[in-house]
């Protein structure tokens, strides 16, 4: 993997990001933490009616980094414990049982268990110490706190305030092959689509009405899903194809909205593995931001792989001739947790602040 281009320091601004999150309590904040070749993600949800934010956790690769972020958000009064009976973490997701995704999950469950509403994992048994310890913690929480434990498949959906979370994978056809180990563990990953603000029923005095928003933010979090899983997702969530300019197409588009797999933010699966995506997937997603959690060419596997990065680039900036000028990755919205600035200073974890009005994001 060639060295990623350095981001010019002049384009960066210093500041207290945790405190800056307080400026717009109605925004959604997505964090992709720098944990090397692993995933730790946090979705900081907009304030609820009680004036408190909640958060969704997706994978925890290490034991210390996420708790430190939560401490920083709490010190800045961005995140605080909600009223009794409301889970601070309505959903915690362990996408699949590889250690670079659940390495810190047992400690998190033990430490924050009373603040968790639901725990999701795919149901794929993996004979590793971290997986066994994680499931021990889950069983303790089920017994002591009656926590909900789900093994979702494609289409499983939760509405949490103004945010909608949908499982894109694993498809039920893949899930049914887990017991025979007829599916590779990465393709057992729970891949997610997050929409904000989500269509919902709104209360206006005594009246209720269906609020459908035309242009919500869409994030697709790819876990370690590989091409088998994405192939199943394209079956489970078919694309609406235009057949000329027909009335049927217009009516279906009005009813169904945009393509289910279209997303402005894409957490690139499997740290940029060559098996994690193909050009057709990126073309359908058409992401504004493609985010890669990896060491940047080092590490055991050399992530991200050249083929994966080039597939993203080709989908976003097709090269039709050898004379076409290639723009830097960051100008195409491709960012890495291993990015450095022009002074060779590591930029580290990535965070996006998404306004409820997408044009202002």
């Amino acid at each position: 993997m060639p060295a990623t281009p350095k981001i010019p320091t002049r384009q960066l601004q210093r500041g207290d990001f945790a405190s800056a999150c307080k400026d717009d309590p109605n925004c959604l904040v997505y964090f992709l933490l720098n944990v090397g070749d692993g995933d730790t993600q946090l979705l900081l949800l907009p304030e609820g009616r009680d004036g408190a934010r909640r958060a969704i956790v997706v994978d925890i690769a290490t034991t210390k980094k996420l708790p430190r972020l939560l401490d920083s958000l709490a010190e800045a009064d961005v995140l605080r414990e909600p009223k009794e009976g409301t889970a601070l973490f309505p959903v915690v997701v362990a996408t699949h049982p590889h250690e670079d995704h659940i390495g810190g999950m047992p400690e998190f469950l033990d430490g924050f268990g009373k603040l968790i509403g639901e725990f999701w994992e795919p149901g794929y048994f993996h004979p590793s110490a971290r997986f066994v310890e994680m499931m021990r913690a889950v069983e303790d929480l089920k017994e002591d706190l009656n926590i909900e434990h789900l093994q979702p498949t494609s289409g499983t959906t939760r509405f949490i305030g103004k945010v909608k979370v949908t499982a894109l994978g694993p498809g039920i056809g893949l899930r049914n092959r887990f017991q025979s180990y007829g599916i590779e563990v990465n393709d057992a990953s729970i891949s997610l689509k997050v929409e904000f603000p989500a269509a919902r029923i709104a209360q206006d005095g005594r009246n209720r009405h269906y609020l459908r928003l035309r242009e919500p933010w869409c994030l697709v979090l790819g876990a370690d899903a590989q091409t088998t899983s994405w192939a199943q997702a394209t079956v489970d969530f078919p694309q609406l194809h235009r057949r000329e300019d027909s009335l049927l197409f217009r009516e279906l588009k009005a009813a169904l909205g945009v393509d289910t797999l279209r997303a402005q933010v894409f957490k690139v699966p499997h740290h940029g593995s060559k098996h994690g995506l193909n050009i057709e997937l990126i073309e359908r997603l058409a992401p504004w931001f493609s985010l890669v959690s990896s060491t940047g060419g080092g590490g055991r596997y050399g992530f991200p792989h050249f083929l994966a990065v080039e597939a993203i680039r080709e989908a976003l900036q097709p090269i039709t001739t050898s004379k076409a000028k290639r723009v830097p990755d960051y100008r195409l919205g491709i960012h890495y947790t291993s990015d450095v600035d022009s002074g060779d200073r590591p930029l580290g974890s990535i965070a996006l602040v998404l306004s409820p009005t997408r044009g202002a994001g």
Side-chain angles (χ1 to χ4, degrees):
M1 169 67 194
T4 56
K6 300 174 183 178
I7 298 179
T9 305
R10 64 179 180 276
Q11 296 190 3
L12 305 172
Q13 296 181 0
R14 293 188 177 276
D16 185 344
F17 187 85
S19 297
C21 291
K22 296 178 64 175
D23 294 342
D24 187 354
N26 296 312
C27 66
L28 173 72
V29 186
Y30 169 69
F31 293 91
L32 179 62
L33 302 191
N34 179 18
V35 290
D37 290 337
D39 277 6
T40 300
Q41 301 165 87
L42 181 75
L43 287 154
L44 185 62
L45 305 181
E47 281 188 2
R49 291 184 178 180
D50 59 358
R53 287 183 181 266
R54 295 191 285 167
I56 296 172
V57 174
V58 182
D59 286 335
I60 309 174
T62 59
T63 58
K64 297 180 180 179
K65 202 137 197 176
L66 180 62
R68 286 174 180 169
L69 173 61
L70 295 174
D71 287 343
S72 297
L73 294 173
E75 290 172 4
D77 199 31
V78 175
L79 191 65
R80 54 183 182 275
E81 191 169 337
K83 63 181 181 180
E84 187 175 352
T86 302
L88 178 61
F89 304 103
V91 177
V92 173
V93 183
T95 61
H96 66 294
H98 274 157
E99 186 165 343
D100 59 334
H101 290 252
I102 64 165
M105 190 66 76
E107 288 78 5
F108 183 84
L109 295 175
D110 287 337
F112 293 90
K114 67 178 182 178
L115 302 175
I116 298 172
E118 293 183 4
F119 180 75
W120 293 11
E121 52 89 21
Y124 192 105
F125 179 81
H126 190 62
S128 69
R130 287 278 83 184
F131 174 74
V132 171
E133 190 64 15
M134 179 183 78
M135 297 312 297
R136 185 276 312 160
V138 172
E139 291 302 317
D140 288 348
L141 292 177
K142 288 166 64 177
E143 182 175 345
D144 298 340
L145 300 171
N146 200 30
I147 188 175
E148 293 289 340
H149 174 201
L150 276 74
Q151 294 177 344
T153 53
S154 60
T156 302
T157 299
R158 287 291 180 269
F159 286 87
I160 306 168
K162 298 177 180 179
V163 174
K164 178 182 178 182
V165 181
T166 304
L168 299 177
I172 190 66
L174 303 186
R175 178 63 179 84
N176 287 341
R177 292 154 60 185
F178 285 6
Q179 299 306 320
S180 66
Y181 288 83
I183 190 70
E184 207 271 339
V185 60
N186 289 311
D187 282 320
S189 291
I190 301 173
S191 52
L192 298 170
K193 179 177 182 179
V194 179
E195 297 172 77
F196 166 72
R200 62 196 185 279
I201 303 298
Q203 181 83 31
D204 183 11
R206 295 185 176 181
N207 299 318
R208 295 184 179 93
H209 62 278
Y210 181 63
L211 179 62
R212 183 177 185 85
L213 299 159
R214 298 187 57 165
E215 292 188 341
W217 286 100
C218 296
L219 301 84
V220 169
L221 312 182
D224 274 8
Q226 300 189 146
T227 49
T228 297
S229 183
W230 292 115
Q232 183 66 51
T234 61
V235 173
D236 292 341
F237 301 96
Q239 187 174 7
L240 177 61
H241 290 284
R242 179 185 294 275
R243 292 185 62 85
E244 301 177 350
D245 192 17
S246 66
L247 175 62
L248 175 61
F249 175 84
R250 293 197 300 271
E251 292 297 325
L252 284 172
K253 186 174 182 180
L256 300 175
V258 298
D259 184 355
T260 305
L261 295 186
R262 184 62 58 92
Q264 290 77 42
V265 181
F266 182 40
K267 202 291 292 182
V268 174
H270 207 181
H271 325 296
S273 161
K274 64 182 178 182
H275 299 294
L277 51 82
N278 54 39
I279 189 170
E280 291 85 0
L281 175 64
I282 303 299
E283 288 175 340
R284 187 169 170 189
L285 287 163
W288 298 358
F289 300 100
S290 303
L291 309 179
V292 183
S293 179
S294 74
T295 55
R300 180 178 177 183
Y301 301 103
F303 293 144
H305 196 281
F306 180 77
L307 288 178
V309 175
E310 286 302 297
I312 299 171
R313 290 189 56 90
E314 180 64 23
L316 300 177
Q317 188 203 12
I319 304 299
T320 56
T321 72
S322 60
K323 295 181 180 179
K325 183 178 180 180
R326 289 167 59 94
V327 301
D329 286 354
Y330 63 86
R331 292 195 179 276
L332 294 176
I334 306 171
H335 296 279
Y336 309 82
T337 54
S338 55
D339 272 336
V340 297
D341 65 14
S342 51
D344 285 326
R345 290 177 289 268
L347 297 177
S349 300
I350 297 170
L352 296 177
V353 180
L354 308 177
S355 167
T357 303
R358 195 207 296 171

